[in-house]
Structures are given as C-alpha cells and as structure tokens.
Amino acid sequence: MNGRSLHRQLLLWLLLPQIVLWLVAAFGAYRLASRHADELVDASLLQAARALARQIKPTASGIFVDLPRSAQDILSTDSADPDGRVIYTVSSPPGQLRLGDARLPPPPGTPALNEPVFFDTIVPEPMRVVSLDQHLGAAGAADSTLRVQVARLSASRELLARRMLLDTALPLSLLIVLMSMVVWAGIRKGLKPLAELQRQVEGRRADALDPVQLRAAPPEVGALAGAVNELLGQVQQNLATQRRFISDAAHQLRTPLAGLKSQAELALELATDPALRQRLQRVHESAVRGARLVSQLLVLARAEPEAVAAQGWAAVDCDHLVHEATADWVPRALAGGCDLGVDVVDAGLRVQGVALLLREALVNLIDNAVRYAGSGATITVRLRRVGDDLWLDVEDDGPGLAPELRERAFERFVRGASHGEGCGLGLAIVREIAERHGGSAQLLPAAPHGCIARLALPLQA
C-alpha cells in the first residue's frame, strides 16, 4: 500500500500554517492600509475645506470668495495623484450654491457647526466628500452660515491603499519564501538519516544480513535501524540453523548410503537369479543417486554466503583448475563413450574466490555434459578472456536443450532430461557458486547442435 511521502507531509504541515498566517496578515495589512488611506484622504479633504473656508469673506451685500484661478486649478487636481480629481462647492446659506460643482449632494442628517462630516457618494463616479459648516457673521443670522464641501475620487484612496499594501506585503512575502526555504532545507537534513537507511537496505544483496551502520543518527532513526538489525540477526540465525541441519543431515546420511551401496554391489556379485539381480541393480542405482544427492547438498551448504566467507578467498589459477578437473573426468567420459578435451585460449587467467567451490562448479558442468550429451559426443572445456571477465565454457555436440528449459534448468530439483541419474541440483549449485563469486551462469545453444554451459567470472584485478 502506497502512502503519502513523509517529506511532503512534513512540508505541507509546516508550510500550511505559514500560508494561512500570510493570508491573515495580508488581509489585516490591507484593512490597516485602507484605514490609514482613509485617514490620510480625510485629513487632506478637511485641510482643503478649511483652506477654502478661510478664503471666503462676508460683505454687506453677501460673501466674497477670494479664490484666484491658479488656486482653483491647484484645488481641482490632487498633487499626490494627478488622476485623482478634486471638486468642491461653496453654498451660503447651505443649499444655495455660490461657487463650485452643483452635483455634490448635501451631507446626511443635520451637521453641527465647525464639525466636519465625511461621507461617500457617486457623482457620477465614487467619491469621498467632506462637508464643513461655519458662521460668517453674527450668530443666528440666516445668511451667516457657510457650507464648504470638497470631494475626491475614491479611486485615489484605493490606489493609496494598494500602494501601502504592496509596501507591506512584499517584504512579508519575501520573508515567507525565505522561511519556506529554511523549512524545506531543515526537513531534508532531518530526513537524511532515513534516506541513508533506505540506501543501505536497498543497495545490499538478499543474502547480505550484516547489521545496518548509521553515523550520528537521531534517536528515532537509530531505534528503527536497531529494529531492522535485530530482524536481520534473527533471519541470519534462522538461516544458520537451517544450514547446520542440512549439513548435519547430509553428513549423517553419507555413511549409511555408502554402506547400502557397498552391500548392493556385493549382493549383485553373489546373486544368480535374474529377477533378484534386477531388483538389486535398482537398489544400487537408488543408493548411488542418494549418495550423489547428499554430496550435492553438502556442496550447496558450502556455497552459502557465510560458508563462502568462512572458507577464505584466494587467487585461483584457472589454467591449473581446468586441466586437473578435466583429467580426473577423462576416465568417466571414456566409459560413457564421450571424447573430453581442453582448449585454453588465454593462459595465466586468475580469479579471486574459493578453489574448492569453483572446481565443484566445473565438475558439475562436465558431469552434466557427460550424462546428457550421449555416447559418441565430443565435449570441450574452453577457457578464455572476454573483456574483464573469464569465460569457462563446457561445450558438447549432443542433442542440446530446449530453449524453454535453459533457464529453468538452473532451478533446484529441475532436470533438463528424463534419462540419467541426476537429481536436479547440479546447475543450481553452479549458479549459486557463480553468484557468490560475482559472476553468472547460463546455458546457450551450440552450432550446429549441442549445448554450451558458460560460467562467467570477474578476473582478478
């Protein structure tokens, strides 16, 4: 079952609160910027309204507005924002226009004297308006009340708020990005021991059961590595027990099987009844097969990783190994009607390994060729160098092996032919030994017919 990545989960749970806080801070900054922008705009409008009110003087015939054309142009344009137009009205009494834009509506309610009233309106664009009522003459006079209104487009206020928000949000965003990078780097550094543990477990062979080594690991990862090491130790102990049982059982079976084989041979020499001789012959064949099976089980136990390491590695002279093993098998090959020979293409080749196991692998390949190539076959043991590898081929011109059986023949207790006395462990032992030495074993077709059993091993550096 595939779960979500721990790295992504940690990154999500650490960055999500930061993003939420950033959004809350951005919203709060926008509200604060809007409020300050409103305050600045309102203060600017009130200052303009009072400045305009100071330019209005009462006269005997009415009022006099001392507002030159240049002052009107300055008042009609926002110096902070050229696109933010300002309009104004002067009325006395309130509602009776004396100067300015008649589109400005009156303020809501009944304003108090000398108390500014701020409100929003549309004329025809959204605008912010300040209305200021003042006395011009004696209190209580009908024409002594003056109303001054100044309005500015709301767009300028929103522009000011956005600018203030940008000045606040940009450093905050950079801070959030910097914090995110620090969090990401911290998560990677914190999870590095887990990646190291994964690398050590994934990079090892299935038979490598030595403990996992972690340096300066946190307690949590150290506890996980300790649990993995404990499990590996238990598996190693179980495999060792199993190997000891196989080895002990094979050793215990060798003696009675050898005795059974000897007794069957003696009985065959003394028996005169044909039916009895036939049964004794089957008993003898079974004893021979059982003895060979026990012998191969012992070799298989010696080919296990721990057994190979215990036997010690050394430089093996493959020239000498090939000649010696082939010479020992010449009599058996002749007895089977086969012509067994050696072809050393490259002399002086050496590999690093266990000579006893490599000899056993070669012997098994020769034995298979003698058993299954048939009488009259020619068998050649060839030694050569190909690149950085040594190829040890046992080639015969017998009937060969079907393509679908070439790979299955390396499985334990799988036989490539129904005849012969094999038990299906020879090629499995060859592949096991080859892999323990860092090499490989395979079966290939020979031309025009026959089979090539190839053992490929890395040459000694």
Side-chain angles (χ1 to χ4, degrees):
M1 182 177 180
N2 293 329
R4 299 177 66 181
S5 167
L6 180 60
H7 186 278
R8 293 183 179 178
Q9 291 190 51
L10 289 175
L11 198 61
L12 175 64
W13 284 108
L14 288 174
L15 293 183
L16 187 60
Q18 296 187 44
I19 296 175
V20 173
L21 289 175
W22 182 86
L23 292 175
V24 172
F27 177 76
Y30 179 74
R31 294 297 300 271
L32 185 63
S34 298
R35 191 180 71 182
H36 285 305
D38 290 344
E39 292 175 354
L40 290 174
V41 170
D42 290 351
S44 175
L45 288 174
L46 181 59
Q47 183 180 6
R50 286 177 174 169
L52 179 59
R54 285 194 295 268
Q55 302 303 318
I56 300 174
K57 310 294 182 184
T59 63
S61 60
I63 61 173
F64 172 72
V65 180
D66 185 13
L67 193 63
R69 185 65 184 175
S70 59
Q72 295 182 30
D73 294 340
I74 294 174
L75 188 61
S76 300
T77 304
D78 185 5
S79 59
D81 182 12
D83 296 329
R85 188 164 53 88
V86 176
I87 61 176
Y88 62 93
T89 61
V90 177
S91 59
S92 179
Q96 184 176 347
L97 181 67
R98 297 298 183 94
L99 182 67
D101 197 324
R103 293 176 300 173
L104 283 180
T110 304
L113 292 177
N114 297 318
E115 292 292 333
V117 177
F118 297 93
F119 62 96
D120 295 314
T121 187
I122 299 177
V123 284
E125 299 173 286
M127 302 193 80
R128 181 72 169 172
V129 186
V130 61
S131 178
L132 181 63
D133 290 357
Q134 290 184 339
H135 281 298
L136 280 179
D143 60 346
S144 64
T145 303
L146 174 70
R147 174 172 291 171
V148 177
Q149 290 179 291
V150 180
R152 175 183 291 177
L153 290 176
S154 297
S156 62
R157 182 180 59 178
E158 295 175 358
L159 178 61
L160 180 59
R162 284 196 295 268
R163 287 178 178 175
M164 295 176 66
L165 175 63
L166 183 62
D167 292 341
T168 305
L170 184 59
L172 184 61
S173 301
L174 293 177
L175 180 61
I176 290 294
V177 171
L178 180 61
M179 290 178 61
S180 301
M181 294 176 63
V182 172
V183 168
W184 179 76
I187 291 176
R188 289 201 61 181
K189 183 174 179 61
L191 295 181
K192 190 175 181 180
L194 281 179
E196 174 67 17
L197 178 61
Q198 177 185 0
R199 185 188 64 80
Q200 289 197 32
V201 174
E202 287 183 345
R204 61 175 54 201
R205 303 189 311 271
D207 53 11
L209 301 177
D210 49 299
V212 175
Q213 302 293 336
L214 290 180
R215 294 177 295 177
E220 295 81 2
V221 181
L224 177 61
V228 172
N229 288 338
E230 184 178 355
L231 178 62
L232 291 175
Q234 293 177 0
V235 173
Q236 190 173 18
Q237 184 177 0
N238 292 338
L239 291 177
T241 303
Q242 181 182 2
R243 284 192 297 270
R244 282 197 303 270
F245 171 76
I246 294 175
S247 179
D248 294 343
H251 276 294
Q252 294 295 327
L253 288 172
R254 290 181 69 178
T255 301
L257 286 174
L260 178 61
K261 178 183 175 184
S262 300
Q263 294 298 325
E265 291 174 352
L266 291 174
L268 278 172
E269 293 179 0
L270 298 176
T272 56
D273 183 13
L276 180 60
R277 287 185 60 85
Q278 185 178 3
R279 290 186 176 88
L280 289 174
Q281 183 64 36
R282 291 179 180 177
V283 171
H284 181 263
E285 291 175 357
S286 298
V288 171
R289 183 176 297 177
R292 176 169 177 76
L293 175 61
V294 169
S295 176
Q296 289 189 325
L297 285 174
L298 286 174
V299 173
L300 202 56
R302 287 198 299 268
E304 293 294 337
E306 289 77 9
V308 172
Q311 295 175 65
W313 285 39
V316 179
D317 185 352
C318 296
D319 230 353
H320 175 73
L321 179 69
V322 167
H323 284 97
E324 183 183 26
T326 306
D328 290 344
W329 266 85
V330 166
R332 303 184 194 182
L334 292 176
C338 299
D339 180 12
L340 178 61
V342 175
D343 179 17
V344 177
V345 179
D346 299 302
L349 299 180
R350 292 175 176 267
V351 297
Q352 196 75 15
V354 181
L356 181 63
L357 294 179
L358 293 176
R359 176 186 171 85
E360 184 67 29
L362 177 58
V363 165
N364 274 300
L365 294 181
I366 298 175
D367 180 39
N368 272 359
V370 171
R371 287 176 183 273
Y372 301 113
S375 179
T378 299
I379 302 172
T380 303
V381 180
R382 184 174 293 107
L383 180 65
R384 56 177 168 158
R385 175 178 184 165
V386 179
D388 293 333
D389 292 337
L390 172 147
W391 281 9
L392 182 56
D393 294 344
V394 178
E395 180 179 353
D396 66 75
D397 57 358
L401 193 64
E404 62 272 11
L405 289 177
R406 288 175 192 152
E407 184 61 29
R408 290 192 64 240
F410 287 100
E411 299 177 8
R412 297 182 181 184
F413 302 106
V414 174
R415 298 177 60 193
S418 57
H419 62 278
E421 299 178 352
C423 55
L425 281 178
L427 290 179
I429 291 173
V430 172
R431 171 162 287 184
E432 191 83 15
I433 293 174
E435 290 178 352
R436 295 295 166 258
H437 288 77
S440 62
Q442 56 182 334
L443 295 178
L444 303 169
H449 55 81
C451 182
I452 300 175
R454 175 168 296 162
L455 182 64
L457 299 171
L459 285 168
Q460 183 184 22

